[in-house]
Amino acid sequence: MNPTHDIILQPIGVIHSPFHDPAETPIQAVRSTALGQVEVFPQFAAGLQDIEGFSHIYLIYQFHRCEQTELQVEPFLDNQKHGIFAVRHPFRPNHLGLSVVELIEVSGNLLQIRGVDVLDGTPLLDIKPFVPVFDERQNVRSGWYETRSKP
Ligand SMILES: C[S@@+](CC[C@H](N)C(=O)[O-])C[C@H]1O[C@@H](n2cnc3c(N)ncnc32)[C@H](O)[C@@H]1O
């Protein structure tokens, strides 16, 4: 496949949340205790087998209410501009978001979750189990976040 070709993605579900206004939505899942629900479309529900064994999951989704793209932005936690790939801001070229949320309960194709930082109706592109040993690293640096201007 030519890596410059457009890619068409099919949502596998939708994220329901209490948030309707971007300005009132938590800026990161780790700072949120809000409850939400992941609705996986029935044709993908078989893919949820054994998900209940995981306390946390990654949600990969599209910031569907964001049309703006900027390659350098001031992130929510700093008053200096940084490259879009050095921040987690929605203004990225493909508007892809990533959140680790707590998985509270699984009932058929519905997942009850805690720690939501997305708008209601956000299209869900993928779910992956959160397995700390896969992502844990030693000697981690967090760039501008370590000297950010906001708490
Ligand atoms: C800074 S982003 C971080 C999201 C995710 N944890 C990440 O790192 O990709 C979170 C902000 O994106 C905005 N947002 C959330 N869901 C959105 C959506 N579906 N469309 C547009 N903006 C959204 C809200 O302003 C929210 O505070």
Side-chain angles (χ1 to χ4, degrees):
M1 186 180 136
N2 181 335
T4 64
H5 278 182
D6 286 354
I7 297 171
I8 297 171
L9 297 178
Q10 179 185 15
I12 60 151
V14 60
I15 306 170
H16 301 286
S17 91
F19 305 113
H20 299 275
D21 178 357
E24 291 179 6
T25 306
I27 56 170
Q28 276 299 340
V30 74
R31 294 172 173 229
S32 170
T33 55
L35 298 174
Q37 189 183 61
V38 171
E39 175 189 350
V40 173
F41 297 143
Q43 64 271 36
F44 299 106
L48 294 172
Q49 184 186 359
D50 300 327
I51 195 93
E52 69 281 355
F54 294 87
S55 62
H56 294 76
I57 52 176
Y58 289 106
L59 301 179
I60 299 164
Y61 49 85
Q62 191 183 40
F63 295 112
H64 70 308
R65 282 179 47 194
C66 181
E67 289 178 2
Q68 201 170 341
T69 297
E70 287 184 24
L71 293 183
Q72 293 176 343
V73 295
E74 262 184 33
F76 292 80
L77 295 176
D78 205 7
N79 56 16
Q80 304 282 318
K81 280 194 173 184
H82 303 283
I84 192 69
F85 305 124
V87 301
R88 306 276 290 253
H89 200 281
F91 288 2
R92 37 206 340 106
N94 289 313
H95 303 115
L96 293 182
L98 170 73
S99 300
V100 177
V101 297
E102 184 184 346
L103 179 58
I104 301 171
E105 191 188 336
V106 182
S107 173
N109 66 326
L110 301 178
L111 312 183
Q112 308 304 328
I113 56 172
R114 183 183 289 119
V116 183
D117 64 344
V118 300
L119 291 167
D120 188 42
T122 294
L124 180 66
L125 298 173
D126 205 353
I127 300 173
K128 297 193 184 201
F130 177 69
V131 182
V133 295
F134 292 164
D135 291 331
E136 227 167 44
R137 296 291 186 278
Q138 302 299 312
N139 305 317
V140 172
R141 292 179 290 118
S142 297
W144 62 265
Y145 182 80
E146 293 175 0
T147 53
R148 68 192 180 279
S149 58
K150 299 176 195 167

